[in-house]
Amino acid sequence: MEVKITSDNFESLKNGNLPLVMDLWATWCGPCRMVGPIISELANDYDGKVVVGKCDVEENDEIAMQFGVRTIPTILFFKNGQLVDKFVGAAPKALLDEKIKALL
């Protein structure tokens, strides 16, 4: 199950024992709604291996600003607390799956 990423839990998730995949999105964003179900599937597929979560940029704009996110959806990939990859735009599941496997 995907987690809700907020300003309160972001640092602990980013620096946790598992890699973090964070989808930055907003409710009004059409492409974000297309990626949403894929993120949920990946969260289930990688449960216990990777933390997969969603961060609403309207509620947590400081996270988006910290990483210079100007276009959503943007998916950020963290390992050992460091940003190691990112993808901007709507992505097919196969592409995101490849990027997650690279984290493991």
Side-chain angles (χ1 to χ4, degrees):
M1 172 190 274
E2 80 232 23
V3 297
K4 181 177 181 179
I5 300 173
T6 66
S7 299
D8 294 332
N9 68 3
F10 171 63
E11 286 297 323
S12 63
L13 291 171
K14 179 181 74 138
N15 295 308
N17 293 332
L18 298 176
L20 172 65
V21 176
M22 179 170 61
D23 173 23
L24 291 112
W25 71 290
T27 55
W28 47 263
C29 168
C32 298
R33 289 194 298 270
M34 290 171 39
V35 171
I38 295 170
I39 294 297
S40 297
E41 286 177 31
L42 291 168
N44 291 331
D45 293 349
Y46 288 95
D47 189 35
K49 297 176 186 164
V50 176
V51 175
V52 179
K54 297 177 75 161
C55 178
D56 187 329
V57 295
E58 295 283 307
E59 296 173 2
N60 303 282
D61 61 338
E62 61 281 353
I63 294 174
M65 287 190 308
Q66 180 180 351
F67 294 98
V69 173
R70 291 191 171 93
T71 304
I72 53 174
T74 292
I75 301 168
L76 302 178
F77 300 83
F78 296 90
K79 186 171 186 173
N80 299 322
Q82 300 297 313
L83 179 65
V84 294
D85 199 359
K86 83 180 201 179
F87 188 86
V88 178
K93 183 177 180 183
L95 180 110
L96 296 176
D97 191 55
E98 282 179 32
K99 290 186 174 285
I100 292 173
K101 284 179 182 170
L103 291 173
L104 301 175

